[in-house]
Every structure is written in C-alpha cells, then in structure tokens.
Amino acid sequence: MHIGIQGLPDGVGQLPAHVPVSLVAADAPSAALWFPALLEDALAAGSVGLVASDTSWVDGLLRRPALQAAYRAGGLQLWVLSPGLQAELRRHGLLSLMQELERTGLSDAHALFVCDAQGLLAGLSVAELARVSRQLSALCRERARPVVLGFFPPLEPEVLLPALRNLCQMSMHIATLCTDADRWSLGLERWNTDGGALFQTAFGLLRDDTTGRLAADGTRTRGAARELVEAADQSEVIATRASIEGQRGVPGHWRIVEGLADLEIAAAASVAATVLLDAGQASDFESRARLVHQLRLSRPLTLKIVVRENLGKLRTHSEQALLQLGASAVVYKEVGFSRLLQLLQDINAQSHTRKVHPDYEQALGSFMPARERGYQPPAQFCALVRSMLDRTHAIGLSHSLVRLNVLAQIPHLDALRACHTARDGDLFTADHESVYVFLFACREPDVGLALHRLFALPLTQLFSSEATDCSDTGIRAMTGHLQEASRKGLPDYSALLGHTPAAPAVTTAAPAFMPPLPSSTRPALPALPADTGAVHVATGPSVQRCPIARRAVPHPAGRSLA
C-alpha cells in the first residue's frame, strides 16, 4: 500500500503493516495534497475505514471522483468522532472506540485511518497516553492492513513530534510533510525501508502538474540540520562575473552570469546548487540583500547562497543582515580564491537552518542603523542611540560609545569640526566637558581604528582622555547622564556645524624633554574614570598617562563653549 507520494526510493513509499504509523501534515497545503492521495492509494489496495473529526473535511474529500466512487461502492467506510468520545478514551482507552467501529462495519479487511488524531489524543495524561499506546500496538499486531494516525494543522510539530518519539509503541513510523519554497519535503523521524531503518531523513518533493500529486525530486538530506546526501545539482555553482573578476583557475563547470537579474533567472529552478554573488559597494547593499532574501524564500533550504566582498568592505551589521536574510556565508575580501573554493566545498552538503522572516523590511529592520549620521544635539543624540539599542538588542548586535574629554585649550567647536562621519548610525555630540561618539555595530577591538578614521587630527591633539563602553547597560547609563545634563542646559552646535569648514591646521611642538613621536608610536589617551554609579562600564584597552603634545599658541584660560 503506497504512501500517496511517487518515486520514493528503497521502499520508503510504502505503508508498513502491523505497526502504528503517524503521518503529520505541518501546513494546510501539505494536508490538502497528501491525505486525499494517500486515501486513493489505500483504496487501490483494498477497503478503507476512515475515522474523521470534522464533517466538513469529509465533505471535501468526497468531492474527489475516486473517493466518491469508492464511498458509493462501499469500499470507503466513514465515521465521525462524537464529542464525548475523549471522555470514553480517558476511562477505557481505545476499547470503546474499536468496539463501536467493529459493531458498525469495520472489518479486518479495512485499512484504518484516524484523522485528525491530535483532537482525539489532546488532553490525555502521560499515563493515559501510555495505555492508548499499548492498546494501539496490540491492535496493529492483530490487523493485516495498516493503521494510520493522521495529524492536521493547526498543530505544533516541535511539541507533537517529541511526544510521538517518546511513545514508541504509539508510533514506530513517523513522517512529516511540509512546504519548502515551491517544493515539499517529506521528513522521516523513523521509518523502516528495504535497506534498513531510517532516522531523521528527508526527501525533496515536487508537485506533478499532470497528476496533481507529489513526487520525489531526487534530493535527500539527513540529520536535524538537514545535511545534504544527494541532489541532482549539488555540484553546480552559479556566479556573477564580478564575484570572480581577475581570478585564475575558475572551474570550467561554473555558470557565469553578468548581473543580479541573470543570477536570479539562472537559480530559478535550483535545488541544491551554490549561488555566488559579489557584495559590490556600500550603495549596492539593498539590491544584494533583496536578492538573498528572495532566493532563500523561493528555493529549498539546500540552496547555498554565498556573498563575496569584491570592491569594498561590508559593515558588521550588513554582514549579519545578509546572514539573517538567508545567506549561507559571507567571504571577506582578504580571502584568496583557493580558500574560497575550499569553503564552497566545505558547505556543499549544508542546508540553511536559520529561520528567515517572510517580510523583507521586518527581517532587515533590526540590523539597520538610524538614517542620521554626524553631529546631533545632545537630546537627539541620546534618543537615537537608545532607539538603535532597543531595535538591535534581541539580535545581539554590539555597538560602542566613546566619551572623549576635550583638552582645556581646545574649543569644543574645533574638536567637533575635526570629526567626519560617512556612515549612517555613526553619531557624535558634546556636553560641557566631552565629545561623545556612538559607533553603530562597532565592536570594542575596532574602536581605535574607527576613531582614527573619523577624526582629521590625532586624538592626542584634541582630547586628554577617553572612556569606551560596548555594553548595552553601560551605553544606556552614559546616555542617561548626558540626557540629564541636557535637561539642565547644553549648547547646540548644529547651526555652527551646518557649513563646516575644513579642519583647522594645528601646529604642535613637543616639550623640550621629549622628542617628537611618529604617528605609529603616538601615546594613547588615558582612560576616563567610569561615572555611571552602580552600573558597570566596560572601559577600553588599558592605557597609561603620557605627555600629550600641546598647541604652540595657548588659548585664554577660560574654555570657550562657542
């Protein structure tokens, strides 16, 4: 007796007898395709007794000509569960149900299908389920034809499947059907085949338009992580020309396409191929991100999507966003082509396991910084920083907030004009004593390099010390202090920075007792003491107090806040 799916190898497509079988449809499209075909296959092999929990579902089945003909001819016997049956199940287990079925026409010649079994078993205690399991196992041993428990949506597979696994007598054979892009996947938790027992094995399926039934497409995966065992296009690689530009030794079997549109068309029917696309420049991120998301949702999880840096460097949050949107890996620009070939070989058997949100904007939103960049008034700075913290907290994206204490002889305006941000989410502001710099998706080891990039002058010529915090609680504490100072009154430099001139030229003279230091050995800024009260603030790298170069012409004693 067949399982309602064509082309499955090694006897997988046959329903076993004498043991309980659990068939789980994880979604409505799977249930609509699978169970009618399953009943038609069962009727082709003999009589069928169907116990259903919903009369409307039965009415829908009888609209199919083959099932309607079998019902009229007596080959298909139908029963509908009564509302009080579960109470009987609690008291007597399956005995009352089987006695009633046999009294009203069920014979040993019938294959028995119970759909939806979840409604019948829901609410039973562990002891009651164990009793039903023993009775079901004894019933199957006595019957010559299969006994099947069918489970329909809505259901929770992550709850149902462990329960079925633990009650081994209730279900020695467990299979789950679910949609996978424009294909389906039949997952076997445990199943006997001609070649032996299978555990956690899945087969890719396609819908045959001529018959309207599901058929195997030749793809097989194994394990909870769906490691690829075989697929017709497993060794195929589709790459954009820019991703392999200037490389020698590109394998001859690779398909090279010109752009993203060509890549999408080339991968439209791929099942387990590898797609290699170039990251482009920062302005190209949106188009790459949308394509990654589209491919991941429209193709099976066995498709590998690799993004390779070719022109610029991806920001940390952009890299993580691509992975969240469905990329299998991001390859850095520094990685040589031979290493890339090895990586593609290493991931050849992988399936994508991370869940991808179906809505592109929502999937991407948590990873993107605020649209603002550069100087912000203190209150606005605090609001933007906290908003980005709130949005990215759940995904574990790390940011940095740096407080730089301005030298007494340096006007705040000079220090602010020396700071130039080119990326959204990188913000700075100032209070009476310090300049604050927020670096979106910047980890603590990268803070020094980021500050060197942001400031047109060496930090030691502008600031006396610094404090860096990369923890969520510490950043919130620092912005809390800044917010409180803002309420009491802080200057807003927006108007003065609206037409920012070039950074002022600064001439320095080293003290007589200390020779000028080359930039590579420039002294680090001393660390500021943490002033966040009871909240721990993770400071930056350990520093020592060192002489700092001074301006040749000192400023008046009073600090300018202009």
mmCIF file of all heavy atoms in Angstrom, residues 370 372 374 376-393 399-402 425-429 436-440 469 471-472 474-480 482-483:
data_model
loop_
_atom_site.group_PDB
_atom_site.id
_atom_site.type_symbol
_atom_site.label_atom_id
_atom_site.label_comp_id
_atom_site.label_asym_id
_atom_site.label_seq_id
_atom_site.Cartn_x
_atom_site.Cartn_y
_atom_site.Cartn_z
ATOM 1 N N ALA A 370 20.047 53.983 12.330
ATOM 2 C CA ALA A 370 19.215 55.149 12.020
ATOM 3 C C ALA A 370 19.753 55.825 10.763
ATOM 4 O O ALA A 370 20.931 55.715 10.434
ATOM 5 C CB ALA A 370 19.241 56.125 13.196
ATOM 6 N N GLU A 372 20.194 58.870 10.329
ATOM 7 C CA GLU A 372 21.002 60.041 10.672
ATOM 8 C C GLU A 372 22.478 59.662 10.802
ATOM 9 O O GLU A 372 22.825 58.513 11.098
ATOM 10 C CB GLU A 372 20.514 60.675 11.970
ATOM 11 C CG GLU A 372 19.162 61.362 11.865
ATOM 12 C CD GLU A 372 17.994 60.397 11.928
ATOM 13 O OE1 GLU A 372 18.228 59.173 12.104
ATOM 14 O OE2 GLU A 372 16.843 60.841 11.797
ATOM 15 N N GLY A 374 26.534 61.831 11.838
ATOM 16 C CA GLY A 374 27.224 63.062 12.186
ATOM 17 C C GLY A 374 26.719 63.691 13.477
ATOM 18 O O GLY A 374 26.147 63.027 14.349
ATOM 19 N N GLN A 376 24.701 65.515 16.332
ATOM 20 C CA GLN A 376 23.306 65.620 16.785
ATOM 21 C C GLN A 376 23.284 66.409 18.084
ATOM 22 O O GLN A 376 24.186 66.256 18.921
ATOM 23 C CB GLN A 376 22.704 64.227 17.039
ATOM 24 C CG GLN A 376 22.802 63.257 15.879
ATOM 25 C CD GLN A 376 21.984 63.680 14.682
ATOM 26 O OE1 GLN A 376 20.876 64.201 14.852
ATOM 27 N NE2 GLN A 376 22.510 63.472 13.474
ATOM 28 N N PRO A 377 22.271 67.247 18.296
ATOM 29 C CA PRO A 377 22.120 67.879 19.610
ATOM 30 C C PRO A 377 22.051 66.805 20.694
ATOM 31 O O PRO A 377 21.584 65.689 20.431
ATOM 32 C CB PRO A 377 20.807 68.650 19.477
ATOM 33 C CG PRO A 377 20.601 68.830 18.011
ATOM 34 C CD PRO A 377 21.211 67.640 17.358
ATOM 35 N N PRO A 378 22.495 67.091 21.905
ATOM 36 C CA PRO A 378 22.587 66.048 22.935
ATOM 37 C C PRO A 378 21.310 65.236 23.149
ATOM 38 O O PRO A 378 21.358 64.005 23.237
ATOM 39 C CB PRO A 378 22.975 66.843 24.191
ATOM 40 C CG PRO A 378 23.734 68.014 23.655
ATOM 41 C CD PRO A 378 23.075 68.373 22.369
ATOM 42 N N ALA A 379 20.151 65.921 23.260
ATOM 43 C CA ALA A 379 18.910 65.185 23.493
ATOM 44 C C ALA A 379 18.584 64.266 22.326
ATOM 45 O O ALA A 379 18.178 63.109 22.504
ATOM 46 C CB ALA A 379 17.758 66.167 23.738
ATOM 47 N N GLN A 380 18.758 64.759 21.095
ATOM 48 C CA GLN A 380 18.504 63.948 19.910
ATOM 49 C C GLN A 380 19.493 62.794 19.823
ATOM 50 O O GLN A 380 19.137 61.672 19.447
ATOM 51 C CB GLN A 380 18.593 64.823 18.656
ATOM 52 C CG GLN A 380 18.431 64.093 17.335
ATOM 53 C CD GLN A 380 17.010 63.607 17.084
ATOM 54 O OE1 GLN A 380 16.133 63.801 17.935
ATOM 55 N NE2 GLN A 380 16.795 62.982 15.956
ATOM 56 N N PHE A 381 20.746 63.051 20.170
ATOM 57 C CA PHE A 381 21.776 62.016 20.193
ATOM 58 C C PHE A 381 21.352 60.867 21.110
ATOM 59 O O PHE A 381 21.399 59.691 20.731
ATOM 60 C CB PHE A 381 23.091 62.628 20.662
ATOM 61 C CG PHE A 381 24.217 61.647 20.837
ATOM 62 C CD1 PHE A 381 25.062 61.336 19.781
ATOM 63 C CD2 PHE A 381 24.438 61.044 22.070
ATOM 64 C CE1 PHE A 381 26.113 60.430 19.954
ATOM 65 C CE2 PHE A 381 25.482 60.138 22.252
ATOM 66 C CZ PHE A 381 26.318 59.836 21.186
ATOM 67 N N CYS A 382 20.918 61.202 22.330
ATOM 68 C CA CYS A 382 20.508 60.175 23.284
ATOM 69 C C CYS A 382 19.313 59.377 22.778
ATOM 70 O O CYS A 382 19.267 58.147 22.902
ATOM 71 C CB CYS A 382 20.177 60.811 24.635
ATOM 72 S SG CYS A 382 21.598 61.568 25.457
ATOM 73 N N ALA A 383 18.337 60.061 22.182
ATOM 74 C CA ALA A 383 17.147 59.382 21.678
ATOM 75 C C ALA A 383 17.504 58.422 20.546
ATOM 76 O O ALA A 383 17.015 57.282 20.498
ATOM 77 C CB ALA A 383 16.117 60.409 21.207
ATOM 78 N N LEU A 384 18.368 58.854 19.635
ATOM 79 C CA LEU A 384 18.747 57.999 18.505
ATOM 80 C C LEU A 384 19.555 56.793 18.980
ATOM 81 O O LEU A 384 19.333 55.659 18.512
ATOM 82 C CB LEU A 384 19.563 58.818 17.500
ATOM 83 C CG LEU A 384 18.790 59.846 16.675
ATOM 84 C CD1 LEU A 384 19.756 60.724 15.884
ATOM 85 C CD2 LEU A 384 17.805 59.161 15.735
ATOM 86 N N VAL A 385 20.480 57.014 19.894
ATOM 87 C CA VAL A 385 21.296 55.904 20.400
ATOM 88 C C VAL A 385 20.423 54.874 21.091
ATOM 89 O O VAL A 385 20.533 53.663 20.836
ATOM 90 C CB VAL A 385 22.382 56.432 21.355
ATOM 91 C CG1 VAL A 385 23.036 55.274 22.116
ATOM 92 C CG2 VAL A 385 23.430 57.224 20.588
ATOM 93 N N ARG A 386 19.523 55.303 21.949
ATOM 94 C CA ARG A 386 18.667 54.354 22.666
ATOM 95 C C ARG A 386 17.713 53.641 21.721
ATOM 96 O O ARG A 386 17.400 52.464 21.912
ATOM 97 C CB ARG A 386 17.907 55.081 23.772
ATOM 98 C CG ARG A 386 18.838 55.572 24.868
ATOM 99 C CD ARG A 386 18.100 56.019 26.097
ATOM 100 N NE ARG A 386 19.036 56.284 27.181
ATOM 101 C CZ ARG A 386 18.678 56.427 28.440
ATOM 102 N NH1 ARG A 386 17.410 56.351 28.777
ATOM 103 N NH2 ARG A 386 19.585 56.658 29.373
ATOM 104 N N SER A 387 17.246 54.330 20.695
ATOM 105 C CA SER A 387 16.385 53.683 19.708
ATOM 106 C C SER A 387 17.128 52.563 18.985
ATOM 107 O O SER A 387 16.579 51.474 18.779
ATOM 108 C CB SER A 387 15.889 54.718 18.701
ATOM 109 O OG SER A 387 15.169 54.105 17.650
ATOM 110 N N MET A 388 18.381 52.797 18.617
ATOM 111 C CA MET A 388 19.167 51.761 17.941
ATOM 112 C C MET A 388 19.492 50.618 18.893
ATOM 113 O O MET A 388 19.502 49.444 18.482
ATOM 114 C CB MET A 388 20.434 52.372 17.345
ATOM 115 C CG MET A 388 20.170 53.227 16.110
ATOM 116 S SD MET A 388 21.665 53.823 15.276
ATOM 117 C CE MET A 388 22.034 55.290 16.243
ATOM 118 N N LEU A 389 19.725 50.923 20.155
ATOM 119 C CA LEU A 389 19.936 49.858 21.139
ATOM 120 C C LEU A 389 18.690 48.986 21.273
ATOM 121 O O LEU A 389 18.776 47.752 21.308
ATOM 122 C CB LEU A 389 20.306 50.452 22.496
ATOM 123 C CG LEU A 389 21.675 51.119 22.645
ATOM 124 C CD1 LEU A 389 21.814 51.703 24.040
ATOM 125 C CD2 LEU A 389 22.796 50.131 22.367
ATOM 126 N N ASP A 390 17.526 49.623 21.365
ATOM 127 C CA ASP A 390 16.279 48.872 21.520
ATOM 128 C C ASP A 390 16.032 47.963 20.315
ATOM 129 O O ASP A 390 15.613 46.807 20.459
ATOM 130 C CB ASP A 390 15.093 49.837 21.674
ATOM 131 C CG ASP A 390 15.134 50.605 22.989
ATOM 132 O OD1 ASP A 390 15.823 50.151 23.926
ATOM 133 O OD2 ASP A 390 14.491 51.667 23.071
ATOM 134 N N ARG A 391 16.281 48.486 19.125
ATOM 135 C CA ARG A 391 15.959 47.738 17.909
ATOM 136 C C ARG A 391 16.905 46.562 17.689
ATOM 137 O O ARG A 391 16.516 45.540 17.119
ATOM 138 C CB ARG A 391 15.997 48.672 16.703
ATOM 139 C CG ARG A 391 15.380 48.085 15.452
ATOM 140 C CD ARG A 391 15.182 49.109 14.364
ATOM 141 N NE ARG A 391 16.434 49.666 13.869
ATOM 142 C CZ ARG A 391 16.867 50.895 14.099
ATOM 143 N NH1 ARG A 391 16.138 51.728 14.831
ATOM 144 N NH2 ARG A 391 18.014 51.333 13.607
ATOM 145 N N THR A 392 18.149 46.671 18.126
ATOM 146 C CA THR A 392 19.140 45.633 17.833
ATOM 147 C C THR A 392 19.459 44.742 19.025
ATOM 148 O O THR A 392 20.266 43.823 18.902
ATOM 149 C CB THR A 392 20.451 46.289 17.345
ATOM 150 O OG1 THR A 392 20.973 47.134 18.380
ATOM 151 C CG2 THR A 392 20.210 47.118 16.101
ATOM 152 N N HIS A 393 18.840 45.008 20.177
ATOM 153 C CA HIS A 393 19.194 44.242 21.378
ATOM 154 C C HIS A 393 18.918 42.757 21.208
ATOM 155 O O HIS A 393 19.729 41.910 21.605
ATOM 156 C CB HIS A 393 18.422 44.790 22.584
ATOM 157 C CG HIS A 393 18.707 44.046 23.856
ATOM 158 N ND1 HIS A 393 19.918 44.128 24.516
ATOM 159 C CD2 HIS A 393 17.939 43.181 24.589
ATOM 160 C CE1 HIS A 393 19.880 43.351 25.593
ATOM 161 N NE2 HIS A 393 18.697 42.773 25.656
ATOM 162 N N HIS A 399 27.550 47.551 19.832
ATOM 163 C CA HIS A 399 27.883 48.935 19.471
ATOM 164 C C HIS A 399 28.892 49.491 20.480
ATOM 165 O O HIS A 399 29.167 48.866 21.509
ATOM 166 C CB HIS A 399 26.628 49.810 19.469
ATOM 167 C CG HIS A 399 25.449 49.181 18.806
ATOM 168 N ND1 HIS A 399 25.353 49.038 17.444
ATOM 169 C CD2 HIS A 399 24.313 48.640 19.324
ATOM 170 C CE1 HIS A 399 24.206 48.444 17.144
ATOM 171 N NE2 HIS A 399 23.560 48.194 18.263
ATOM 172 N N SER A 400 29.395 50.674 20.177
ATOM 173 C CA SER A 400 30.362 51.310 21.083
ATOM 174 C C SER A 400 30.006 52.780 21.275
ATOM 175 O O SER A 400 29.592 53.451 20.323
ATOM 176 C CB SER A 400 31.791 51.210 20.526
ATOM 177 O OG SER A 400 32.196 49.863 20.406
ATOM 178 N N LEU A 401 30.161 53.243 22.516
ATOM 179 C CA LEU A 401 30.002 54.656 22.831
ATOM 180 C C LEU A 401 31.304 55.132 23.484
ATOM 181 O O LEU A 401 31.764 54.543 24.479
ATOM 182 C CB LEU A 401 28.821 54.877 23.773
ATOM 183 C CG LEU A 401 28.552 56.328 24.189
ATOM 184 C CD1 LEU A 401 28.288 57.206 22.966
ATOM 185 C CD2 LEU A 401 27.367 56.398 25.148
ATOM 186 N N VAL A 402 31.909 56.179 22.915
ATOM 187 C CA VAL A 402 33.204 56.686 23.385
ATOM 188 C C VAL A 402 33.008 58.104 23.911
ATOM 189 O O VAL A 402 32.390 58.942 23.233
ATOM 190 C CB VAL A 402 34.251 56.694 22.253
ATOM 191 C CG1 VAL A 402 35.611 57.119 22.789
ATOM 192 C CG2 VAL A 402 34.336 55.326 21.595
ATOM 193 N N GLY A 425 24.199 56.038 11.267
ATOM 194 C CA GLY A 425 24.269 55.456 12.603
ATOM 195 C C GLY A 425 25.497 55.831 13.394
ATOM 196 O O GLY A 425 25.549 55.586 14.594
ATOM 197 N N ASP A 426 26.502 56.420 12.752
ATOM 198 C CA ASP A 426 27.677 56.928 13.472
ATOM 199 C C ASP A 426 27.390 58.382 13.847
ATOM 200 O O ASP A 426 27.294 59.249 12.967
ATOM 201 C CB ASP A 426 28.927 56.827 12.609
ATOM 202 C CG ASP A 426 29.409 55.393 12.455
ATOM 203 O OD1 ASP A 426 28.850 54.513 13.131
ATOM 204 O OD2 ASP A 426 30.326 55.159 11.651
ATOM 205 N N LEU A 427 27.250 58.648 15.140
ATOM 206 C CA LEU A 427 26.796 59.956 15.622
ATOM 207 C C LEU A 427 27.795 60.530 16.620
ATOM 208 O O LEU A 427 28.539 59.778 17.266
ATOM 209 C CB LEU A 427 25.430 59.810 16.315
ATOM 210 C CG LEU A 427 24.347 58.981 15.613
ATOM 211 C CD1 LEU A 427 23.134 58.838 16.524
ATOM 212 C CD2 LEU A 427 23.956 59.623 14.295
ATOM 213 N N PHE A 428 27.787 61.857 16.765
ATOM 214 C CA PHE A 428 28.584 62.462 17.834
ATOM 215 C C PHE A 428 27.876 63.706 18.356
ATOM 216 O O PHE A 428 27.049 64.317 17.669
ATOM 217 C CB PHE A 428 30.014 62.779 17.381
ATOM 218 C CG PHE A 428 30.129 63.746 16.240
ATOM 219 C CD1 PHE A 428 30.320 65.108 16.467
ATOM 220 C CD2 PHE A 428 30.079 63.313 14.924
ATOM 221 C CE1 PHE A 428 30.448 66.009 15.429
ATOM 222 C CE2 PHE A 428 30.209 64.200 13.866
ATOM 223 C CZ PHE A 428 30.389 65.557 14.109
ATOM 224 N N THR A 429 28.191 64.076 19.595
ATOM 225 C CA THR A 429 27.628 65.248 20.253
ATOM 226 C C THR A 429 28.621 65.705 21.309
ATOM 227 O O THR A 429 29.728 65.157 21.411
ATOM 228 C CB THR A 429 26.244 64.933 20.855
ATOM 229 O OG1 THR A 429 25.595 66.144 21.219
ATOM 230 C CG2 THR A 429 26.366 64.047 22.088
ATOM 231 N N TYR A 436 31.085 63.028 22.674
ATOM 232 C CA TYR A 436 30.594 61.651 22.707
ATOM 233 C C TYR A 436 30.462 61.141 21.271
ATOM 234 O O TYR A 436 29.874 61.819 20.414
ATOM 235 C CB TYR A 436 29.232 61.562 23.384
ATOM 236 C CG TYR A 436 29.250 61.886 24.857
ATOM 237 C CD1 TYR A 436 29.303 63.204 25.298
ATOM 238 C CD2 TYR A 436 29.218 60.875 25.804
ATOM 239 C CE1 TYR A 436 29.328 63.507 26.648
ATOM 240 C CE2 TYR A 436 29.233 61.165 27.161
ATOM 241 C CZ TYR A 436 29.289 62.487 27.578
ATOM 242 O OH TYR A 436 29.305 62.773 28.922
ATOM 243 N N VAL A 437 30.982 59.948 21.007
ATOM 244 C CA VAL A 437 30.907 59.346 19.674
ATOM 245 C C VAL A 437 30.238 57.980 19.802
ATOM 246 O O VAL A 437 30.714 57.112 20.558
ATOM 247 C CB VAL A 437 32.304 59.189 19.041
ATOM 248 C CG1 VAL A 437 32.176 58.562 17.650
ATOM 249 C CG2 VAL A 437 33.009 60.530 18.965
ATOM 250 N N PHE A 438 29.132 57.782 19.069
ATOM 251 C CA PHE A 438 28.452 56.476 19.031
ATOM 252 C C PHE A 438 28.766 55.818 17.697
ATOM 253 O O PHE A 438 28.572 56.398 16.630
ATOM 254 C CB PHE A 438 26.936 56.641 19.167
ATOM 255 C CG PHE A 438 26.187 55.333 19.074
ATOM 256 C CD1 PHE A 438 26.169 54.452 20.142
ATOM 257 C CD2 PHE A 438 25.508 54.986 17.905
ATOM 258 C CE1 PHE A 438 25.489 53.241 20.059
ATOM 259 C CE2 PHE A 438 24.825 53.789 17.812
ATOM 260 C CZ PHE A 438 24.808 52.915 18.891
ATOM 261 N N LEU A 439 29.275 54.580 17.760
ATOM 262 C CA LEU A 439 29.658 53.822 16.569
ATOM 263 C C LEU A 439 28.736 52.617 16.439
ATOM 264 O O LEU A 439 28.792 51.674 17.246
ATOM 265 C CB LEU A 439 31.117 53.373 16.687
ATOM 266 C CG LEU A 439 32.137 54.513 16.829
ATOM 267 C CD1 LEU A 439 33.505 53.960 17.185
ATOM 268 C CD2 LEU A 439 32.196 55.340 15.557
ATOM 269 N N PHE A 440 27.867 52.642 15.452
ATOM 270 C CA PHE A 440 26.890 51.576 15.250
ATOM 271 C C PHE A 440 27.597 50.313 14.766
ATOM 272 O O PHE A 440 28.417 50.338 13.848
ATOM 273 C CB PHE A 440 25.852 52.009 14.218
ATOM 274 C CG PHE A 440 24.752 51.002 13.988
ATOM 275 C CD1 PHE A 440 23.617 51.004 14.781
ATOM 276 C CD2 PHE A 440 24.859 50.060 12.987
ATOM 277 C CE1 PHE A 440 22.615 50.078 14.579
ATOM 278 C CE2 PHE A 440 23.857 49.129 12.771
ATOM 279 C CZ PHE A 440 22.727 49.140 13.567
ATOM 280 N N ASP A 469 32.641 52.235 26.143
ATOM 281 C CA ASP A 469 31.751 51.199 26.659
ATOM 282 C C ASP A 469 31.036 50.538 25.494
ATOM 283 O O ASP A 469 30.519 51.218 24.606
ATOM 284 C CB ASP A 469 30.724 51.790 27.625
ATOM 285 C CG ASP A 469 30.184 50.710 28.571
ATOM 286 O OD1 ASP A 469 29.698 49.689 28.067
ATOM 287 O OD2 ASP A 469 30.284 50.891 29.796
ATOM 288 N N SER A 471 28.863 47.793 26.216
ATOM 289 C CA SER A 471 27.760 47.023 26.789
ATOM 290 C C SER A 471 26.461 47.821 26.701
ATOM 291 O O SER A 471 26.474 49.059 26.750
ATOM 292 C CB SER A 471 28.047 46.681 28.259
ATOM 293 O OG SER A 471 28.064 47.859 29.050
ATOM 294 N N ASP A 472 25.362 47.116 26.594
ATOM 295 C CA ASP A 472 24.064 47.770 26.497
ATOM 296 C C ASP A 472 23.784 48.603 27.750
ATOM 297 O O ASP A 472 23.368 49.762 27.658
ATOM 298 C CB ASP A 472 22.972 46.716 26.300
ATOM 299 C CG ASP A 472 21.600 47.326 26.098
ATOM 300 O OD1 ASP A 472 21.252 47.636 24.951
ATOM 301 O OD2 ASP A 472 20.866 47.488 27.101
ATOM 302 N N GLY A 474 25.940 49.808 29.967
ATOM 303 C CA GLY A 474 26.870 50.912 30.099
ATOM 304 C C GLY A 474 26.541 52.061 29.165
ATOM 305 O O GLY A 474 26.608 53.236 29.555
ATOM 306 N N ILE A 475 26.190 51.756 27.924
ATOM 307 C CA ILE A 475 25.831 52.813 26.974
ATOM 308 C C ILE A 475 24.578 53.539 27.443
ATOM 309 O O ILE A 475 24.476 54.762 27.363
ATOM 310 C CB ILE A 475 25.643 52.224 25.564
ATOM 311 C CG1 ILE A 475 26.980 51.700 25.022
ATOM 312 C CG2 ILE A 475 25.063 53.255 24.608
ATOM 313 C CD1 ILE A 475 26.880 50.988 23.690
ATOM 314 N N ARG A 476 23.616 52.786 27.961
ATOM 315 C CA ARG A 476 22.389 53.427 28.459
ATOM 316 C C ARG A 476 22.699 54.321 29.659
ATOM 317 O O ARG A 476 22.106 55.396 29.814
ATOM 318 C CB ARG A 476 21.357 52.364 28.829
ATOM 319 C CG ARG A 476 20.766 51.638 27.622
ATOM 320 C CD ARG A 476 19.721 50.613 28.035
ATOM 321 N NE ARG A 476 19.275 49.829 26.908
ATOM 322 C CZ ARG A 476 18.327 50.207 26.053
ATOM 323 N NH1 ARG A 476 17.712 51.364 26.229
ATOM 324 N NH2 ARG A 476 17.984 49.443 25.039
ATOM 325 N N ALA A 477 23.621 53.867 30.496
ATOM 326 C CA ALA A 477 23.982 54.695 31.655
ATOM 327 C C ALA A 477 24.665 55.985 31.215
ATOM 328 O O ALA A 477 24.372 57.076 31.726
ATOM 329 C CB ALA A 477 24.892 53.900 32.592
ATOM 330 N N MET A 478 25.583 55.903 30.253
ATOM 331 C CA MET A 478 26.274 57.101 29.773
ATOM 332 C C MET A 478 25.309 58.070 29.106
ATOM 333 O O MET A 478 25.377 59.288 29.330
ATOM 334 C CB MET A 478 27.387 56.702 28.797
ATOM 335 C CG MET A 478 28.574 56.009 29.465
ATOM 336 S SD MET A 478 29.835 55.463 28.283
ATOM 337 C CE MET A 478 30.556 57.027 27.809
ATOM 338 N N THR A 479 24.394 57.559 28.301
ATOM 339 C CA THR A 479 23.411 58.452 27.678
ATOM 340 C C THR A 479 22.431 58.999 28.703
ATOM 341 O O THR A 479 21.895 60.098 28.538
ATOM 342 C CB THR A 479 22.643 57.717 26.559
ATOM 343 O OG1 THR A 479 22.038 56.526 27.089
ATOM 344 C CG2 THR A 479 23.564 57.349 25.410
ATOM 345 N N GLY A 480 22.214 58.233 29.795
ATOM 346 C CA GLY A 480 21.355 58.739 30.860
ATOM 347 C C GLY A 480 21.945 59.977 31.511
ATOM 348 O O GLY A 480 21.238 60.965 31.759
ATOM 349 N N LEU A 482 24.120 61.978 30.104
ATOM 350 C CA LEU A 482 24.106 63.034 29.099
ATOM 351 C C LEU A 482 22.704 63.635 28.954
ATOM 352 O O LEU A 482 22.541 64.845 28.799
ATOM 353 C CB LEU A 482 24.590 62.474 27.763
ATOM 354 C CG LEU A 482 24.731 63.462 26.613
ATOM 355 C CD1 LEU A 482 25.716 64.566 26.956
ATOM 356 C CD2 LEU A 482 25.184 62.735 25.340
ATOM 357 N N GLN A 483 21.691 62.788 29.036
ATOM 358 C CA GLN A 483 20.311 63.269 28.947
ATOM 359 C C GLN A 483 19.980 64.189 30.119
ATOM 360 O O GLN A 483 19.327 65.225 29.941
ATOM 361 C CB GLN A 483 19.350 62.065 28.934
ATOM 362 C CG GLN A 483 17.879 62.416 28.731
ATOM 363 C CD GLN A 483 17.594 62.778 27.286
ATOM 364 O OE1 GLN A 483 18.123 62.179 26.378
ATOM 365 N NE2 GLN A 483 16.759 63.791 27.076
#
